[in-house]
Amino acid sequence: MAGVRRRRALGLLALGASAATAGALWPPARSRDQRAVAGRLGSFTPAHTGSIPIVSENQAPGSTWPPADSRRPGVDDRRRQIQGYASATSVAHGEAIDFHVAVDPAGPYKITVVRLGWYGGTGARELLTSPELLGEPQPVPTPDPETGALVCRWPISWTLRIPDDWTSGLYQAVFTSAEGWRGYTPFVVRDDRRAAALCVVVPFTTYQAYNQWPLDGTTGRSLYYGYRDGVLDAERRAFDVSFDRPYAGDGWPKHFDRDHDFVCWAERQGYDLTYATTEDLHSGRLDPTRHRGIVFCGHDEYWSRPMRLAAERAVAAGTSLAFLAANSAYWHIRLSPSTDGRPERLVTCYKTSPDPGVDAAGPTTLWRKVVPDGRDAEQGLLGIQYNGIVTVPQSLVVARAEHWFWAGSGVADGDRIPDLVGGEADGIVRGHPRPAGVTGVTLGTASYQNPYRRRLVQHTHLYETPQGGLVFAAGTLFWTMALNRARRRDERIERATGNLLDRMARLR
């Protein structure tokens, strides 16, 4: 593309050297239990080599992520110094993606595109920067009086056609004003040309459900809240939320860091990965049966009927699924196109309110309530389902330590992995469907107290299908933090997750 400057790599870093720097960048904090097993655990080292695009990509020099000179907290939704959104959540090689950017005060800015990954522990690689662009303020739209939807119709600021040599992955567009303010928006580059062993699905429907833009005390709407007298109020929530608007604040979606933790860890291990979004699963652009396994790496709470059917068909065909969070596939949604015909730009969920647009897929409410007999409850797919908010993080108590899942981790039954169960939790819920004709196993449990002081039990669960696939559900929002997060990494969880992905990819 004319005027686009490509940042060329100046050299290559060996994977071994890259891994060696990780301790200095993200030193894992070790509990007493971790120190006790460290001697017999050993280090978890990449075993996956060969002509894998992810491996080659992560040999390139990286860029510190987040940027070392980030002004965080920076951009806010009252002043909106620089914010923007993308025309799609995912794009394939040769396809174009538009960016819509507002700058206040008006002035020059640039857009830099980075790919998130391992890169020796730096976390990202800068790929290109736009020419200097001129931006100006753009209006905040009036919420739809019926649905609360906020749909920006800002002009196109810059168009990027995805080069054929870009590696599939999770990307960020970084908007930087002349005054140094930064805003962000994420997107995924797909690789529709090859079927990697594992496909990572990034939960953009959940990102948008939580998006409160503009977080200004007046206008912003999410599927959770609106505003009443400057205070967040669930009764003023939206029923439709649009991707045609920035994410609140500087543009980092809520829960985005959980996905980045997994991306960094999995790319450090050198797995054969490709990436897609929840919208790709909905539309059929992602066919799960082309892959040996599908990894739902983050908080993946909002699912449409086509998403659910695609996952069920994949399990029936022998494809493995891994849900590395909790509260997955909890709300049923509809996805609709934008007024200009771009697909999957509007997320609809009426939750506990009557749904005036009920179609053959059923009302947009809890999956376990879509039909009166509860047969659509998420437990029928996952093996467990959401059962509460964890007020204080709890230890996961290891069960079935002899199972291949825990092999090489050095654990014994009853060992405690501290602070692994937190945020939200899943467990086995009586009276709701369980996967039929499969072999299931509980690999760990935690007793916790919810905000109503009720004691509940979390489960980490795995089942194997007659077709040879696996379905794993971590049952906690803290799982991926234990793979990569500073002072949260746990070598036992790294080893167990590696065992799981090796089995899914059929490396063992």
Coordinates of all heavy atoms in Angstrom, one line a residue, residues 269-357:
Q269 N 5.4 -21.7 23.5 CA 5.6 -23.2 23.4 C 5.7 -23.6 22.0 O 6.1 -24.8 21.7 CB 4.4 -23.9 24.0 CG 4.1 -23.4 25.5 CD 5.3 -23.4 26.4 OE1 6.1 -24.3 26.3 NE2 5.4 -22.4 27.2
G270 N 5.4 -22.8 21.0 CA 5.6 -23.1 19.6 C 4.5 -24.0 19.0 O 4.7 -24.8 18.1
Y271 N 3.3 -23.9 19.6 CA 2.2 -24.7 19.0 C 1.8 -24.2 17.6 O 2.0 -23.1 17.3 CB 0.9 -24.6 19.9 CG 1.1 -25.5 21.1 CD1 1.4 -24.9 22.4 CD2 0.9 -26.9 21.1 CE1 1.5 -25.7 23.5 CE2 1.0 -27.7 22.2 CZ 1.3 -27.1 23.4 OH 1.5 -27.9 24.5
D272 N 1.3 -25.2 16.8 CA 0.8 -24.8 15.5 C -0.6 -24.2 15.6 O -1.6 -25.0 15.8 CB 0.8 -26.1 14.6 CG 0.3 -25.8 13.2 OD1 0.4 -24.6 12.8 OD2 0.0 -26.8 12.5
L273 N -0.7 -22.9 15.6 CA -1.9 -22.2 15.9 C -2.4 -21.4 14.7 O -1.5 -20.9 13.9 CB -1.7 -21.2 17.1 CG -1.2 -21.7 18.4 CD1 -0.9 -20.6 19.3 CD2 -2.2 -22.7 19.0
T274 N -3.6 -21.2 14.6 CA -4.2 -20.1 13.8 C -5.3 -19.4 14.7 O -5.6 -20.0 15.8 CB -4.8 -20.6 12.5 OG1 -5.1 -19.5 11.7 CG2 -6.0 -21.5 12.7
Y275 N -5.8 -18.3 14.3 CA -6.7 -17.5 15.1 C -8.0 -17.2 14.4 O -8.0 -17.0 13.1 CB -6.0 -16.2 15.6 CG -4.9 -16.4 16.5 CD1 -3.6 -16.8 16.1 CD2 -5.1 -16.1 17.9 CE1 -2.6 -17.0 17.0 CE2 -4.1 -16.3 18.8 CZ -2.8 -16.8 18.4 OH -1.8 -16.9 19.3
A276 N -9.1 -17.0 15.1 CA -10.4 -16.6 14.6 C -11.1 -16.0 15.7 O -10.6 -15.8 16.9 CB -11.1 -17.8 14.1
T277 N -12.3 -15.5 15.4 CA -13.1 -14.8 16.4 C -14.5 -15.6 16.6 O -14.8 -16.4 15.8 CB -13.4 -13.4 16.0 OG1 -14.3 -13.4 14.9 CG2 -12.2 -12.6 15.7
T278 N -15.2 -15.2 17.7 CA -16.5 -15.7 17.9 C -17.4 -15.5 16.7 O -18.3 -16.3 16.3 CB -17.1 -15.1 19.2 OG1 -16.8 -13.7 19.2 CG2 -16.6 -15.8 20.4
E279 N -17.3 -14.3 16.0 CA -18.1 -14.0 14.8 C -17.8 -15.0 13.7 O -18.6 -15.4 12.9 CB -17.9 -12.6 14.4 CG -18.4 -11.6 15.3 CD -17.6 -11.4 16.6 OE1 -16.4 -11.8 16.6 OE2 -18.1 -10.8 17.5
D280 N -16.5 -15.4 13.6 CA -16.1 -16.4 12.6 C -16.8 -17.8 12.8 O -17.2 -18.5 11.9 CB -14.6 -16.5 12.5 CG -13.9 -15.3 12.1 OD1 -14.4 -14.5 11.2 OD2 -12.8 -15.0 12.7
L281 N -16.8 -18.1 14.1 CA -17.5 -19.4 14.5 C -19.0 -19.3 14.1 O -19.6 -20.2 13.6 CB -17.3 -19.7 16.0 CG -17.8 -21.0 16.5 CD1 -17.2 -22.2 15.8 CD2 -17.7 -21.0 18.0
H282 N -19.6 -18.1 14.4 CA -21.0 -17.9 14.1 C -21.3 -18.0 12.6 O -22.3 -18.7 12.2 CB -21.4 -16.5 14.6 CG -22.8 -16.1 14.1 ND1 -23.9 -16.4 14.8 CD2 -23.1 -15.3 13.0 CE1 -24.9 -15.8 14.1 NE2 -24.5 -15.2 13.1
S283 N -20.5 -17.4 11.8 CA -20.7 -17.2 10.4 C -20.4 -18.5 9.5 O -20.9 -18.6 8.4 CB -20.0 -16.1 9.8 OG -18.6 -16.3 9.8
G284 N -19.5 -19.3 10.1 CA -19.0 -20.5 9.3 C -17.7 -20.2 8.6 O -17.1 -21.1 8.0
R285 N -17.2 -18.9 8.8 CA -15.8 -18.7 8.2 C -14.8 -19.6 8.9 O -13.8 -20.0 8.4 CB -15.4 -17.2 8.4 CG -16.2 -16.2 7.5 CD -15.7 -14.8 7.7 NE -15.9 -14.3 9.1 CZ -17.0 -13.6 9.4 NH1 -18.0 -13.4 8.6 NH2 -17.1 -13.2 10.7
L286 N -15.1 -19.9 10.2 CA -14.3 -20.9 10.9 C -15.1 -22.2 10.9 O -16.2 -22.3 11.5 CB -14.0 -20.5 12.4 CG -13.5 -21.5 13.3 CD1 -12.2 -22.1 12.8 CD2 -13.4 -21.0 14.7
D287 N -14.5 -23.3 10.3 CA -15.1 -24.6 10.4 C -14.2 -25.4 11.4 O -13.1 -25.8 11.1 CB -15.0 -25.3 9.0 CG -15.5 -26.7 9.1 OD1 -15.9 -27.2 10.2 OD2 -15.5 -27.4 8.0
P288 N -14.8 -25.6 12.6 CA -13.9 -26.3 13.7 C -13.4 -27.6 13.3 O -12.4 -28.1 13.7 CB -14.9 -26.3 14.9 CG -15.9 -25.3 14.6 CD -16.1 -25.2 13.1
T289 N -14.2 -28.3 12.4 CA -13.8 -29.7 12.0 C -12.5 -29.7 11.2 O -11.9 -30.8 10.9 CB -14.9 -30.4 11.3 OG1 -15.2 -29.8 10.1 CG2 -16.2 -30.4 12.2
R290 N -12.0 -28.6 10.7 CA -10.8 -28.5 9.9 C -9.6 -28.6 10.9 O -8.4 -28.8 10.4 CB -10.7 -27.2 9.1 CG -11.7 -27.1 8.0 CD -11.4 -25.8 7.3 NE -10.2 -25.8 6.5 CZ -9.3 -24.8 6.4 NH1 -9.6 -23.6 6.9 NH2 -8.2 -24.9 5.7
H291 N -9.8 -28.5 12.2 CA -8.7 -28.4 13.1 C -8.8 -29.6 14.1 O -9.9 -30.1 14.3 CB -8.7 -27.1 13.9 CG -8.7 -25.9 13.0 ND1 -7.5 -25.3 12.6 CD2 -9.7 -25.2 12.5 CE1 -7.8 -24.3 11.8 NE2 -9.1 -24.2 11.7
R292 N -7.7 -30.0 14.7 CA -7.7 -31.0 15.7 C -8.3 -30.6 17.0 O -8.9 -31.3 17.7 CB -6.3 -31.6 15.9 CG -5.7 -32.2 14.6 CD -4.3 -32.6 14.8 NE -3.7 -33.1 13.6 CZ -2.4 -33.3 13.4 NH1 -1.5 -33.1 14.4 NH2 -2.0 -33.8 12.3
G293 N -8.1 -29.3 17.3 CA -8.7 -28.7 18.5 C -9.0 -27.3 18.4 O -8.3 -26.5 17.6
I294 N -10.0 -26.8 19.1 CA -10.4 -25.4 19.2 C -10.1 -24.9 20.6 O -10.6 -25.6 21.6 CB -11.8 -25.2 18.8 CG1 -12.1 -25.8 17.4 CG2 -12.2 -23.7 18.9 CD1 -11.4 -25.1 16.3
V295 N -9.4 -23.8 20.8 CA -9.2 -23.3 22.1 C -9.9 -22.0 22.3 O -9.7 -21.0 21.6 CB -7.7 -23.0 22.3 CG1 -7.4 -22.5 23.7 CG2 -6.8 -24.3 22.1
F296 N -10.9 -22.0 23.3 CA -11.6 -20.8 23.7 C -10.8 -20.2 24.9 O -10.9 -20.6 26.0 CB -13.0 -21.1 24.1 CG -13.8 -21.7 22.9 CD1 -13.9 -23.1 22.8 CD2 -14.4 -20.9 22.0 CE1 -14.6 -23.7 21.7 CE2 -15.1 -21.5 20.9 CZ -15.2 -22.8 20.8
C297 N -9.9 -19.3 24.5 CA -8.8 -18.9 25.5 C -9.3 -18.0 26.6 O -8.7 -17.9 27.6 CB -7.6 -18.3 24.8 SG -8.0 -16.8 23.8
G298 N -10.4 -17.2 26.4 CA -10.7 -16.2 27.3 C -12.1 -16.3 27.9 O -12.7 -17.4 27.8
H299 N -12.6 -15.2 28.4 CA -13.9 -15.2 29.0 C -15.0 -15.1 27.9 O -15.2 -14.1 27.3 CB -14.1 -13.9 29.9 CG -15.3 -13.9 30.7 ND1 -16.0 -15.0 31.1 CD2 -16.1 -12.8 31.1 CE1 -17.0 -14.7 31.8 NE2 -17.1 -13.3 31.8
D300 N -15.5 -16.3 27.5 CA -16.3 -16.4 26.3 C -17.8 -16.7 26.7 O -18.3 -17.8 26.5 CB -15.8 -17.6 25.5 CG -16.0 -17.5 24.0 OD1 -16.9 -16.7 23.6 OD2 -15.3 -18.1 23.2
E301 N -18.5 -15.7 27.1 CA -19.7 -15.8 27.8 C -21.0 -15.7 26.8 O -22.0 -16.2 27.2 CB -19.8 -14.6 28.8 CG -21.0 -14.6 29.7 CD -20.9 -13.5 30.8 OE1 -19.8 -12.8 30.8 OE2 -21.9 -13.3 31.5
Y302 N -20.8 -15.0 25.7 CA -22.0 -14.7 24.8 C -21.9 -15.5 23.5 O -21.0 -15.3 22.7 CB -22.0 -13.2 24.5 CG -22.4 -12.4 25.8 CD1 -21.5 -12.1 26.8 CD2 -23.7 -12.0 25.9 CE1 -21.8 -11.4 27.9 CE2 -24.1 -11.3 27.1 CZ -23.1 -11.0 28.1 OH -23.5 -10.3 29.2
W303 N -22.9 -16.5 23.4 CA -22.9 -17.4 22.2 C -24.2 -17.3 21.5 O -25.3 -17.4 22.1 CB -22.6 -18.8 22.7 CG -21.2 -19.2 23.0 CD1 -20.3 -18.4 23.6 CD2 -20.6 -20.3 22.6 NE1 -19.1 -19.1 23.7 CE2 -19.2 -20.3 23.0 CE3 -21.0 -21.5 21.8 CZ2 -18.3 -21.3 22.8 CZ3 -20.0 -22.5 21.6 CH2 -18.7 -22.4 22.1
S304 N -24.1 -17.3 20.2 CA -25.3 -17.5 19.3 C -25.6 -19.0 19.1 O -24.8 -19.8 19.4 CB -25.1 -16.8 18.0 OG -24.1 -17.5 17.3
R305 N -26.8 -19.2 18.6 CA -27.2 -20.6 18.2 C -26.2 -21.2 17.2 O -25.8 -22.3 17.4 CB -28.6 -20.6 17.8 CG -29.1 -22.0 17.3 CD -29.3 -23.0 18.4 NE -30.4 -22.6 19.3 CZ -30.7 -23.4 20.4 NH1 -30.1 -24.5 20.6 NH2 -31.7 -22.9 21.1
P306 N -25.9 -20.5 16.1 CA -24.9 -21.0 15.2 C -23.6 -21.4 15.8 O -22.9 -22.4 15.4 CB -24.8 -20.0 14.1 CG -26.1 -19.3 14.1 CD -26.5 -19.2 15.6
M307 N -23.1 -20.6 16.8 CA -21.9 -20.9 17.5 C -22.0 -22.2 18.2 O -21.1 -23.1 18.1 CB -21.5 -19.8 18.4 CG -21.1 -18.5 17.8 SD -20.9 -17.1 19.0 CE -19.6 -17.8 20.1
R308 N -23.1 -22.4 18.9 CA -23.3 -23.6 19.7 C -23.4 -24.8 18.8 O -22.8 -25.8 19.1 CB -24.6 -23.4 20.5 CG -25.0 -24.6 21.4 CD -24.2 -24.8 22.6 NE -24.7 -25.9 23.4 CZ -25.5 -25.8 24.4 NH1 -25.8 -24.6 24.9 NH2 -25.9 -26.8 25.1
L309 N -24.2 -24.7 17.7 CA -24.3 -25.8 16.8 C -23.0 -26.2 16.2 O -22.6 -27.4 16.0 CB -25.3 -25.5 15.7 CG -26.8 -25.4 16.2 CD1 -27.7 -24.9 15.0 CD2 -27.3 -26.7 16.7
A310 N -22.1 -25.2 15.8 CA -20.8 -25.5 15.3 C -19.9 -26.2 16.2 O -19.2 -27.2 15.9 CB -20.2 -24.2 14.8
A311 N -20.0 -25.8 17.5 CA -19.2 -26.5 18.5 C -19.7 -27.9 18.7 O -18.9 -28.9 18.9 CB -19.2 -25.7 19.8
E312 N -21.0 -28.1 18.8 CA -21.5 -29.5 19.0 C -21.2 -30.4 17.8 O -20.9 -31.6 18.0 CB -23.0 -29.4 19.2 CG -23.4 -28.7 20.5 CD -24.9 -28.5 20.6 OE1 -25.6 -28.5 19.6 OE2 -25.4 -28.2 21.8
R313 N -21.3 -29.9 16.6 CA -20.9 -30.7 15.4 C -19.4 -31.0 15.4 O -19.0 -32.1 15.1 CB -21.2 -29.9 14.1 CG -22.7 -29.9 13.8 CD -22.9 -29.4 12.3 NE -22.5 -28.0 12.1 CZ -23.3 -27.0 12.2 NH1 -24.6 -27.1 12.5 NH2 -22.8 -25.7 12.0
A314 N -18.6 -30.1 15.9 CA -17.2 -30.4 16.0 C -16.9 -31.5 17.0 O -16.1 -32.4 16.7 CB -16.4 -29.1 16.4
V315 N -17.5 -31.5 18.1 CA -17.4 -32.5 19.1 C -17.8 -33.9 18.5 O -17.1 -34.9 18.7 CB -18.1 -32.2 20.4 CG1 -18.1 -33.4 21.4 CG2 -17.5 -31.0 21.1
A316 N -18.9 -33.9 17.9 CA -19.4 -35.1 17.2 C -18.5 -35.7 16.2 O -18.4 -36.9 15.9 CB -20.8 -34.9 16.6
A317 N -17.7 -34.8 15.6 CA -16.8 -35.2 14.5 C -15.4 -35.6 15.1 O -14.5 -36.0 14.3 CB -16.6 -34.1 13.5
G318 N -15.2 -35.4 16.4 CA -13.9 -35.8 17.0 C -13.0 -34.7 17.3 O -11.8 -34.9 17.7
T319 N -13.4 -33.4 17.0 CA -12.6 -32.3 17.3 C -12.6 -32.0 18.8 O -13.6 -32.1 19.4 CB -13.1 -31.0 16.5 OG1 -13.0 -31.3 15.1 CG2 -12.2 -29.8 16.8
S320 N -11.5 -31.6 19.3 CA -11.4 -31.3 20.8 C -11.6 -29.9 21.0 O -11.3 -29.0 20.2 CB -10.0 -31.7 21.3 OG -9.8 -33.1 21.2
L321 N -12.2 -29.6 22.2 CA -12.5 -28.2 22.6 C -11.8 -28.0 24.0 O -11.9 -28.8 24.9 CB -14.0 -27.9 22.7 CG -14.9 -28.3 21.6 CD1 -16.3 -27.9 21.9 CD2 -14.4 -27.6 20.3
A322 N -11.2 -26.8 24.2 CA -10.7 -26.4 25.5 C -11.2 -25.0 25.9 O -11.1 -24.1 25.1 CB -9.2 -26.4 25.5
F323 N -11.9 -25.0 27.0 CA -12.4 -23.7 27.5 C -11.6 -23.3 28.7 O -11.7 -23.9 29.8 CB -13.9 -23.9 28.0 CG -14.8 -24.2 26.8 CD1 -15.1 -25.5 26.4 CD2 -15.5 -23.2 26.2 CE1 -15.9 -25.8 25.4 CE2 -16.4 -23.4 25.1 CZ -16.6 -24.7 24.7
L324 N -10.7 -22.3 28.5 CA -9.7 -22.0 29.6 C -10.1 -20.9 30.5 O -9.3 -20.2 31.1 CB -8.4 -21.6 28.9 CG -7.8 -22.7 28.0 CD1 -6.4 -22.3 27.4 CD2 -7.6 -24.0 28.8
A325 N -11.4 -20.7 30.7 CA -11.9 -19.7 31.6 C -13.1 -20.3 32.3 O -13.2 -21.5 32.6 CB -12.3 -18.4 30.9
A326 N -14.1 -19.5 32.6 CA -15.4 -19.9 33.3 C -16.5 -19.1 32.7 O -16.3 -18.1 32.0 CB -15.3 -19.7 34.8
N327 N -17.7 -19.5 33.1 CA -18.9 -18.8 32.6 C -19.0 -18.7 31.1 O -19.5 -17.8 30.5 CB -18.8 -17.3 33.2 CG -20.1 -16.6 33.1 OD1 -20.1 -15.3 33.1 ND2 -21.3 -17.2 33.1
S328 N -18.6 -19.8 30.5 CA -18.6 -19.9 29.0 C -20.0 -20.2 28.5 O -20.7 -21.0 29.1 CB -17.6 -20.9 28.5 OG -16.3 -20.6 29.0
A329 N -20.3 -19.7 27.3 CA -21.6 -20.0 26.6 C -22.8 -19.9 27.5 O -23.7 -20.7 27.5 CB -21.5 -21.5 26.0
Y330 N -22.8 -18.8 28.3 CA -23.8 -18.6 29.3 C -25.0 -17.9 28.8 O -26.1 -18.3 29.1 CB -23.1 -17.7 30.4 CG -24.0 -17.5 31.6 CD1 -24.4 -18.5 32.5 CD2 -24.3 -16.2 32.0 CE1 -25.1 -18.3 33.6 CE2 -25.1 -15.9 33.1 CZ -25.5 -17.0 33.9 OH -26.2 -16.7 35.0
W331 N -24.8 -16.8 28.0 CA -25.9 -16.0 27.4 C -26.1 -16.4 26.0 O -25.2 -16.4 25.2 CB -25.7 -14.5 27.6 CG -25.7 -14.0 29.0 CD1 -24.7 -13.6 29.7 CD2 -26.9 -13.8 29.8 NE1 -25.1 -13.1 30.9 CE2 -26.4 -13.3 31.0 CE3 -28.3 -14.0 29.6 CZ2 -27.3 -12.9 32.1 CZ3 -29.1 -13.7 30.6 CH2 -28.7 -13.2 31.8
H332 N -27.4 -16.6 25.6 CA -27.7 -16.7 24.2 C -27.9 -15.4 23.5 O -28.6 -14.5 24.1 CB -29.0 -17.6 24.1 CG -29.5 -17.7 22.7 ND1 -30.9 -17.6 22.3 CD2 -28.9 -18.0 21.5 CE1 -31.0 -17.8 21.0 NE2 -29.8 -18.0 20.5
I333 N -27.3 -15.2 22.3 CA -27.3 -13.9 21.6 C -27.8 -14.1 20.2 O -27.8 -15.2 19.7 CB -26.0 -13.2 21.7 CG1 -24.9 -14.0 20.9 CG2 -25.6 -12.8 23.1 CD1 -23.6 -13.3 20.7
R334 N -28.2 -13.0 19.6 CA -28.3 -12.9 18.1 C -27.2 -12.0 17.6 O -26.9 -11.0 18.3 CB -29.7 -12.4 17.7 CG -30.8 -13.4 17.9 CD -32.1 -12.9 17.2 NE -32.6 -11.7 17.7 CZ -33.4 -11.6 18.8 NH1 -33.8 -12.7 19.4 NH2 -33.9 -10.4 19.2
L335 N -26.8 -12.2 16.4 CA -25.8 -11.3 15.7 C -26.5 -10.9 14.4 O -27.0 -11.7 13.6 CB -24.5 -12.0 15.4 CG -23.6 -12.3 16.6 CD1 -22.5 -13.2 16.2 CD2 -23.0 -10.9 17.0
S336 N -26.4 -9.5 14.2 CA -27.1 -8.9 13.0 C -26.1 -8.1 12.3 O -25.1 -7.6 12.8 CB -28.3 -8.1 13.5 OG -29.2 -8.8 14.2
P337 N -26.3 -7.8 11.0 CA -25.4 -7.0 10.2 C -25.6 -5.5 10.5 O -26.6 -5.1 11.1 CB -25.8 -7.3 8.7 CG -27.3 -7.7 8.8 CD -27.4 -8.4 10.1
S338 N -24.7 -4.7 10.1 CA -24.8 -3.3 10.2 C -25.8 -2.8 9.1 O -26.1 -3.5 8.1 CB -23.4 -2.6 10.0 OG -22.9 -2.9 8.7
T339 N -26.1 -1.5 9.1 CA -27.0 -1.0 8.1 C -26.4 -1.0 6.7 O -27.2 -1.0 5.7 CB -27.5 0.5 8.4 OG1 -26.3 1.3 8.6 CG2 -28.3 0.5 9.7
D340 N -25.1 -1.0 6.6 CA -24.4 -1.1 5.3 C -24.1 -2.5 4.9 O -23.4 -2.7 3.9 CB -23.2 -0.2 5.2 CG -22.1 -0.6 6.2 OD1 -22.3 -1.6 6.9 OD2 -21.1 0.1 6.3
G341 N -24.6 -3.5 5.6 CA -24.5 -4.9 5.2 C -23.3 -5.6 5.7 O -23.2 -6.8 5.4
R342 N -22.4 -5.0 6.5 CA -21.3 -5.8 7.1 C -21.8 -6.7 8.1 O -22.6 -6.4 9.0 CB -20.3 -4.8 7.7 CG -19.4 -4.1 6.7 CD -18.6 -3.0 7.3 NE -19.4 -1.9 7.8 CZ -19.4 -1.5 9.1 NH1 -18.6 -2.1 10.0 NH2 -20.2 -0.6 9.5
P343 N -21.4 -8.0 8.0 CA -22.0 -9.0 8.9 C -21.6 -8.9 10.4 O -20.5 -8.4 10.6 CB -21.6 -10.3 8.3 CG -20.3 -10.0 7.6 CD -20.5 -8.6 7.1
E344 N -22.4 -9.4 11.3 CA -22.1 -9.6 12.7 C -21.6 -8.3 13.4 O -20.6 -8.3 14.0 CB -21.0 -10.7 12.9 CG -21.4 -12.1 12.4 CD -20.7 -12.4 11.0 OE1 -19.6 -12.0 10.8 OE2 -21.4 -12.9 10.2
R345 N -22.3 -7.2 13.2 CA -21.9 -5.9 13.8 C -22.8 -5.5 14.9 O -22.5 -4.5 15.6 CB -21.9 -4.8 12.7 CG -21.0 -5.0 11.6 CD -19.6 -5.1 12.0 NE -19.0 -3.9 12.5 CZ -17.8 -3.8 13.0 NH1 -17.0 -4.8 13.2 NH2 -17.4 -2.6 13.4
L346 N -23.9 -6.3 15.2 CA -24.8 -5.9 16.3 C -25.0 -7.2 17.1 O -25.4 -8.2 16.6 CB -26.1 -5.4 15.7 CG -26.9 -4.5 16.6 CD1 -26.2 -3.2 16.9 CD2 -28.3 -4.2 16.0
V347 N -24.8 -7.1 18.4 CA -25.0 -8.1 19.4 C -26.3 -7.9 20.1 O -26.4 -6.8 20.8 CB -23.8 -8.3 20.4 CG1 -24.1 -9.5 21.3 CG2 -22.5 -8.5 19.6
T348 N -27.2 -8.8 20.1 CA -28.5 -8.6 20.8 C -28.6 -9.6 21.9 O -28.4 -10.8 21.8 CB -29.7 -8.8 19.8 OG1 -29.6 -7.8 18.8 CG2 -31.0 -8.7 20.6
C349 N -29.0 -9.1 23.1 CA -29.3 -10.0 24.3 C -30.2 -9.3 25.2 O -29.8 -8.3 25.9 CB -28.0 -10.4 25.0 SG -28.3 -11.7 26.2
Y350 N -31.5 -9.7 25.3 CA -32.4 -9.1 26.2 C -32.3 -9.6 27.7 O -32.9 -9.1 28.6 CB -33.8 -9.4 25.7 CG -34.2 -8.3 24.6 CD1 -33.7 -8.5 23.3 CD2 -35.0 -7.2 24.9 CE1 -34.0 -7.6 22.3 CE2 -35.3 -6.3 23.9 CZ -34.8 -6.4 22.6 OH -35.1 -5.5 21.7
K351 N -31.6 -10.7 27.9 CA -31.4 -11.3 29.2 C -32.7 -11.6 29.9 O -33.4 -12.5 29.4 CB -30.5 -10.4 30.0 CG -29.1 -10.2 29.4 CD -28.1 -9.6 30.3 CE -26.7 -9.7 29.8 NZ -25.7 -9.1 30.7
T352 N -33.0 -10.9 31.0 CA -34.2 -11.3 31.7 C -35.4 -10.5 31.3 O -36.5 -10.7 31.8 CB -34.0 -11.0 33.2 OG1 -33.6 -9.6 33.4 CG2 -32.9 -11.9 33.8
S353 N -35.3 -9.6 30.3 CA -36.4 -8.8 29.7 C -37.1 -9.6 28.6 O -36.4 -10.4 27.9 CB -36.0 -7.5 29.3 OG -35.4 -6.7 30.3
P354 N -38.3 -9.4 28.3 CA -39.0 -10.1 27.2 C -38.3 -9.7 25.9 O -38.0 -8.5 25.6 CB -40.4 -9.5 27.2 CG -40.6 -9.1 28.6 CD -39.3 -8.6 29.1
D355 N -38.1 -10.7 25.0 CA -37.4 -10.5 23.8 C -38.4 -10.4 22.6 O -39.0 -11.3 22.3 CB -36.4 -11.7 23.5 CG -35.6 -11.6 22.3 OD1 -35.9 -10.6 21.5 OD2 -34.7 -12.4 22.1
P356 N -38.5 -9.2 22.1 CA -39.5 -9.0 21.0 C -39.2 -9.6 19.7 O -40.0 -9.7 18.8 CB -39.7 -7.5 20.9 CG -38.3 -7.0 21.3 CD -37.8 -7.9 22.4
G357 N -37.9 -10.0 19.5 CA -37.4 -10.5 18.2 C -37.2 -12.0 18.2 O -36.3 -12.5 17.5

